[in-house]
Amino acid sequence: MSGAALLYLLSALTSLNAVMIEVKDTHMEIARGDPLHLQCTYQTNAPTKNNLNIEWILVEEVPTEEEPTIDVIQYFYDGIYSVGKRYKSRVNFTGNANGDDCSIVIQGAQITDTGSYVVEVTTPHDLDGTRKATVDVIVLVPPTPPICKIEGKAEYGESVKLTCHSEEGSPAPVYSWKNYSPTNQPRQLPQMSIQETDGLMLKNISAKTSGFFICTSKNKIRAASCNITLAVMPPSMNIGFYGGIIGGAVGVLIILGIIVYCCCCRSEEKLPEDYEMDDPRYEDEEPAERDPKRDDYARTYREDDPNENAGSTTVRQPLVPPNKPTYVPDDNDV
């Protein structure tokens, strides 16, 4: 056998015994908290798998000198495992590692799990072939449920701002808005609206602006949303404002009434006793008796007056009482 033929035969035998590893995805992006599935298969034509070894390690984006690589998990023939300290209780093989499945799953992915995962399959009976494969993983932070708020007065002619914000998100989320009528029918955003990075500005609002607004916070890994109801009212419907005015007016009237009442009470207390209608000095006195002679005289006067009932305006001189002497002038009076 020539040298060339012998070399070809040795190459063929070597290729038959070479290990071949294949991973499903060489680049993955996953949300924080989700399970990380690293799917992998291998092939070998070695007559035996004694002393088979499957090892997963992590190479971080910025390796440190103290720990250039981080152990994830390692499998030895006959089901013996060894788990790295960072992945305790979080990682395991998912298939028959002693067969042809080298897949693993990492529960509850964390930001620190970002990096390059390298898998290597070795056996003493097969040292050639492609024994390593790499999967690049990026753990992203999905947006937290956003919080929607209204800034400003929801009254005719005013301007309000609808804000929407997620506390977390990596990469930073982008916000978008949708509008629905009060009957829950989709419609275009109001004409006097401006989408800003931190919210939606609505200018010169009216009753037609009322409805439902939905904000969506989204990044490349996931999305979350919140909704808000906008009810635009005329200024006269500001019950709190006008209620305060009415309450203040009523309070002023009550105070004025109390002041007037107190002034009246003080005035009554200062009246002198001379103005009292009832004088206690005359309470025990009896009315004076009438003189019967005077009554007879007055009666006679009325009976002798012919013009009393005739409506005459002539004034008659009173009669001289009978008990009064007749006046005789003296000589000096003439």
Side-chain angles (χ1 to χ4, degrees):
M1 181 179 295
S2 64
L6 180 59
L7 180 61
Y8 176 80
L9 179 60
L10 291 175
S11 300
L13 292 175
T14 302
S15 62
L16 289 176
N17 292 333
V19 176
M20 299 295 296
I21 296 179
E22 183 179 0
V23 293
K24 182 178 180 180
D25 300 301
T26 58
H27 182 80
M28 297 179 63
E29 292 181 345
I30 187 173
R32 184 183 63 182
D34 287 355
L36 173 58
H37 292 275
L38 302 176
Q39 298 184 8
C40 163
T41 57
Y42 70 94
Q43 295 179 355
T44 179
N45 292 324
T48 179
K49 291 185 179 179
N50 292 335
N51 299 321
L52 175 68
N53 182 29
I54 303 175
E55 182 181 16
W56 283 89
I57 61 172
L58 170 64
V59 180
E60 295 182 303
E61 291 181 316
V62 183
T64 61
E65 295 181 1
E66 296 80 7
E67 199 173 17
T69 62
I70 299 173
D71 293 332
V72 179
I73 191 172
Q74 192 171 4
Y75 174 85
F76 301 98
Y77 185 72
D78 289 338
I80 301 175
Y81 296 89
S82 175
V83 179
K85 180 173 62 175
R86 182 186 292 188
Y87 295 90
K88 288 287 186 182
S89 304
R90 291 203 301 136
V91 65
N92 205 345
F93 284 93
T94 59
N96 183 8
N98 202 41
D100 59 357
D101 194 343
C102 50
S103 303
I104 62 172
V105 59
I106 300 173
Q107 301 292 342
Q110 303 173 3
I111 298 297
T112 55
D113 293 337
T114 297
S116 298
Y117 288 82
V118 180
V119 56
E120 182 178 8
V121 178
T122 59
T123 174
H125 305 283
D126 196 349
L127 301 177
D128 297 321
T130 306
R131 298 185 300 169
K132 291 183 179 181
T134 302
V135 181
D136 295 324
V137 175
I138 299 176
V139 179
L140 304 176
V141 180
T144 55
I147 299 175
C148 291
K149 293 182 180 179
I150 299 177
E151 294 181 356
K153 294 182 179 180
E155 296 179 356
Y156 291 174
E158 297 287 344
S159 296
V160 297
K161 187 174 183 178
L162 309 182
T163 62
C164 177
H165 178 68
S166 293
E167 291 294 334
E168 290 185 301
S170 176
V174 177
Y175 303 98
S176 60
W177 292 87
K178 291 183 179 180
N179 185 212
Y180 293 82
S181 67
T183 57
N184 205 26
Q185 298 297 321
R187 64 184 183 186
Q188 297 293 326
L189 291 173
Q191 292 183 352
M192 299 295 290
S193 64
I194 302 175
Q195 293 198 50
E196 301 177 352
T197 55
D198 58 345
L200 180 67
M201 176 64 72
L202 303 176
K203 296 184 177 181
N204 194 21
I205 58 177
S206 63
K208 295 181 179 180
T209 316
S210 299
F212 306 100
F213 291 82
I214 297 179
C215 171
T216 301
S217 173
K218 183 179 181 180
N219 62 9
K220 63 189 304 183
I221 193 66
R222 199 163 293 169
S225 63
C226 64
N227 62 78
I228 193 169
T229 301
L230 179 64
V232 183
M233 299 185 299
S236 60
M237 295 298 291
N238 195 334
I239 299 175
F241 175 75
Y242 291 103
I245 294 178
I246 295 173
V250 171
V252 172
L253 292 176
I254 292 174
I255 294 173
L256 290 177
I258 293 173
I259 294 174
V260 172
Y261 176 76
C262 293
C263 292
C264 292
C265 292
R266 290 184 179 181
S267 298
E268 292 180 358
E269 291 176 358
K270 293 180 180 180
L271 287 176
E273 294 181 356
D274 296 341
Y275 290 94
E276 293 183 0
M277 298 297 293
D278 298 330
D279 192 341
R281 294 176 295 178
Y282 301 101
E283 290 181 355
D284 298 335
E285 295 185 4
E286 295 181 358
E289 295 182 357
R290 300 179 63 88
D291 188 354
K293 292 183 179 182
R294 285 189 178 183
D295 293 343
D296 293 341
Y297 169 75
R299 192 180 302 111
T300 303
Y301 173 78
R302 288 194 298 269
E303 290 176 356
D304 294 341
D305 187 3
N307 296 322
E308 180 180 4
N309 298 325
S312 175
T313 60
T314 303
V315 179
R316 181 181 177 181
Q317 296 296 326
L319 297 177
V320 178
N323 58 349
K324 182 176 182 180
T326 304
Y327 172 74
V328 178
D330 296 335
D331 294 338
N332 297 328
D333 296 335
V334 177

